[in-house]
Amino acid sequence: GGIMAITIIVEDGSVTPSANSFIDLPEARTQCEALGLILSIDDDIAKAQLTQAYYQLKRSYQSRLKGRLVSASQTGIYPREDVCANGFEVAIDSIPQDVINAQLAYAHSINQGNSVNDTAKTQEVASESLDGVGSKTYKSGSSKRTTPFVPAVTQWLQPYMKSNGLSRDDYVFGGKYGS
């Protein structure tokens, strides 16, 4: 494969320099199994999927999240301050489990062959076949997006998002809930 070996550097809530994941690979594999999610069996590819998911959370969701970053130097969407989720204040030095689950769900989506770099042009396609997973259909108007949302990721992050963050359409493709 041609993929470079990536070193996972875990953001644990303390603003870890150069962090590229909220979770290390062994723990990610354990938690994915519990959630019914799948990473590549190849460790280097799985690490790449985790890091792509970590940065894609920032690209797609950062502007819609409650609160604000705690440091200009942090690499990901968490830690954050002034966040209340599920009725509780989120500690500014913590990474909520839902955020880790969102990263794992994104990594799973990448492993299923969904591109994190879908451009507006490709999103205008009415529907797209995913081998063995069913299909997804982008709603009209999605052509404005340059970073795609993933329904499962959006669902995990919902308690942490501004109330005006997403419409119901952002959870569904073609009227059916995504897998």
Side-chain angles (χ1 to χ4, degrees), residues 11-15 70 78-82 89-96:
E11 173 59 78
D12 59 6
S14 61
V15 188
V70 300
Y78 266 78
R80 299 179 82 80
E81 54 189 355
D82 289 335
E89 191 71 28
V90 177
I92 65 167
D93 59 352
S94 72
I95 308 299

Side-chain angles (χ1 to χ4, degrees), residues 150-165:
V150 174
V153 175
T154 301
Q155 288 159 358
W156 282 117
L157 290 178
Q158 187 57 36
Y160 307 87
M161 297 173 79
K162 298 168 189 168
S163 55
N164 60 353

Side-chain angles (χ1 to χ4, degrees), residues 9-170:
I9 302 168
V10 175
E11 173 59 78
D12 59 6
S14 61
V15 188
T16 307
S18 305
N20 59 10
S21 183
F22 293 120
I23 189 169
D24 66 24
L25 182 58
E27 185 62 22
R29 290 200 183 284
T30 299
Q31 291 191 26
C32 278
E33 193 171 340
L35 292 167
L37 302 174
I38 301 166
L39 299 175
S40 172
I41 56 171
D42 180 295
D43 281 355
D44 285 335
I45 295 174
K47 287 177 186 176
Q49 291 166 346
L50 286 173
T51 58
Q52 286 172 18
Y54 178 87
Y55 290 115
Q56 189 63 25
L57 287 176
K58 187 165 185 172
R59 288 174 61 200
S60 288
Y61 291 92
Q62 179 163 265
S63 65
R64 295 169 180 259
L65 293 171
K66 297 176 188 172
R68 56 188 176 273
L69 301 178
V70 300
S71 167
S73 64
Q74 71 190 83
T75 57
I77 57 172
Y78 266 78
R80 299 179 82 80
E81 54 189 355
D82 289 335
V83 178
C84 187
N86 302 310
F88 298 94
E89 191 71 28
V90 177
I92 65 167
D93 59 352
S94 72
I95 308 299
Q97 184 61 45
D98 290 336
V99 171
I100 296 171
N101 290 349
Q103 181 188 353
L104 296 176
Y106 226 132
H108 169 86
S109 177
I110 293 165
N111 188 56
Q112 299 290 1
N114 296 322
S115 170
V116 296
N117 293 311
D118 279 349
T119 62
K121 256 319 188 212
T122 58
Q123 283 194 319
E124 282 167 26
V125 175
S127 77
E128 175 183 348
S129 173
L130 299 176
D131 292 1
V133 185
S135 65
K136 60 183 177 184
T137 304
Y138 289 98
K139 60 176 183 163
S140 60
S142 69
S143 60
K144 297 187 193 103
R145 283 198 191 127
T146 54
T147 51
F149 294 115
V150 174
V153 175
T154 301
Q155 288 159 358
W156 282 117
L157 290 178
Q158 187 57 36
Y160 307 87
M161 297 173 79
K162 298 168 189 168
S163 55
N164 60 353
L166 292 179
S167 69
R168 186 178 166 278
D169 279 350
D170 286 306

